[in-house]
Amino acid sequence: NAGVTQTPKFQVLKTGQSMTLQCAQDMNHNSMYWYRQDPGMGLRLIYYSASEGTTDKGEVPNGYNVSRLNKREFSLRLESAAPSQTSVYFCASSKAGGPSDTQYFGPGTRLTVL
Amino acid sequence: GQQLNQSPQSMFIQEGEDVSMNCTSSSIFNTWLWYKQDPGEGPVLLIALYKAGELTSNGRLTAQFGITRKDSFLNISASIPSDVGIYFCAGRAATGGGNKLTFGTGTQLKVEL
């Protein structure tokens, strides 16, 4: 089991460029999440997908779109990157169901927007 | 959005010392989780707590779910160099949050040999 995998590991973009961050999990989890991590801010939820076919906004969704491609894969797209989107992006997944549900994280994508 | 207050922000301790950190919220939570993040990696779950007053251990780590349901504590006994990293608390609100977690801002732990 690889758990949660993310690609790419690092990316540098110019302002206005677009890109898609990929995430996949092999734990047969129902729910998937995208977070961003900035210094001193902890992790903030961008979007999540409670189950295949559904997506919802989190705390900081502006400038992002997501696609739950299938049960395994959840992608995050930046249509027109801005320097404020320089961050580390983490994908997570969970089985979903009840307060005992636990989220498992991928290794992260380090994005710099110039 | 809601944030958890986590303290201290950073700690610089000697190997062998015990460490304590805590997290407080303005809302009642029904789940508290503690994660550790090593440099360049994603957070890894250390301990999960599901009931007020619950005390759970994982090796040298002990965490408690506060009685008020608005706080949680993590203790590390006899610290070693590999304890270095950032420790995050995370909580799940009792109402209105669904399955979403709110994360603290992290406690950075540095261990001096």
Side-chain angles (χ1 to χ4, degrees):
Chain A
N1 273 5
V4 180
T5 56
Q6 292 182 235
T7 55
K9 202 165 176 65
F10 300 94
Q11 184 71 51
V12 178
L13 293 177
K14 294 181 180 176
T15 297
Q17 287 185 317
S18 62
M19 79 159 295
T20 300
L21 282 65
Q22 307 287 352
C23 174
Q25 51 89 12
D26 62 2
M27 296 177 282
N28 200 35
H29 284 170
N30 292 307
S31 299
M32 298 185 74
Y33 312 82
W34 276 106
Y35 292 88
R36 60 177 289 172
Q37 183 179 35
D38 302 295
M41 296 290 289
L43 287 99
R44 292 182 293 169
L45 184 65
I46 303 171
Y47 270 95
Y48 67 103
S49 171
S51 61
E52 188 179 355
T54 69
T55 60
D56 284 289
K57 295 179 180 178
E59 183 185 348
V60 287
N62 290 347
Y64 305 95
N65 285 302
V66 290
S67 294
R68 183 74 183 266
L69 304 169
N70 48 55
K71 190 171 185 180
R72 288 188 64 248
E73 298 171 288
F74 189 38
S75 62
L76 179 73
R77 183 160 178 84
L78 286 70
E79 290 291 350
S80 179
S84 61
Q85 294 178 305
T86 294
S87 189
V88 183
Y89 291 86
F90 289 101
C91 178
S93 72
S94 69
K95 195 172 181 180
S100 63
D101 195 41
T102 300
Q103 293 183 21
Y104 297 88
F105 285 82
T109 294
R110 281 139 191 86
L111 175 66
T112 300
V113 183
L114 303 174
Chain B
Q2 181 176 312
Q3 290 271 317
L4 298 179
N5 294 315
Q6 188 171 346
S7 64
Q9 274 191 321
S10 64
M11 303 181 72
F12 192 41
I13 61 170
Q14 298 234 325
E15 184 178 7
E17 285 185 359
D18 296 343
V19 173
S20 292
M21 59 190 80
N22 68 79
C23 225
T24 59
S25 167
S26 57
S27 303
I28 291 174
F29 282 2
N30 62 13
T31 303
W32 282 99
L33 306 171
W34 285 92
Y35 287 87
K36 183 193 177 202
Q37 185 178 24
D38 291 326
E41 303 292 332
V44 174
L45 182 68
L46 298 174
I47 293 179
L49 302 159
Y50 305 114
K51 285 192 279 193
E54 181 180 353
L55 188 71
T56 297
S57 292
N58 178 6
R60 293 177 296 105
L61 278 62
T62 302
Q64 184 162 24
F65 193 138
I67 290 290
T68 65
R69 298 174 66 190
K70 292 184 176 182
D71 55 9
S72 181
F73 309 87
L74 176 69
N75 295 313
I76 305 172
S77 63
S79 58
I80 59 178
S82 62
D83 290 335
V84 165
I86 303 177
Y87 292 80
F88 289 100
C89 62
R92 185 174 289 118
T95 58
N99 198 38
K100 291 181 285 187
L101 291 177
T102 299
F103 281 82
T105 50
T107 293
Q108 181 152 33
L109 183 62
K110 300 176 184 177
V111 179
E112 183 179 62
L113 299 175

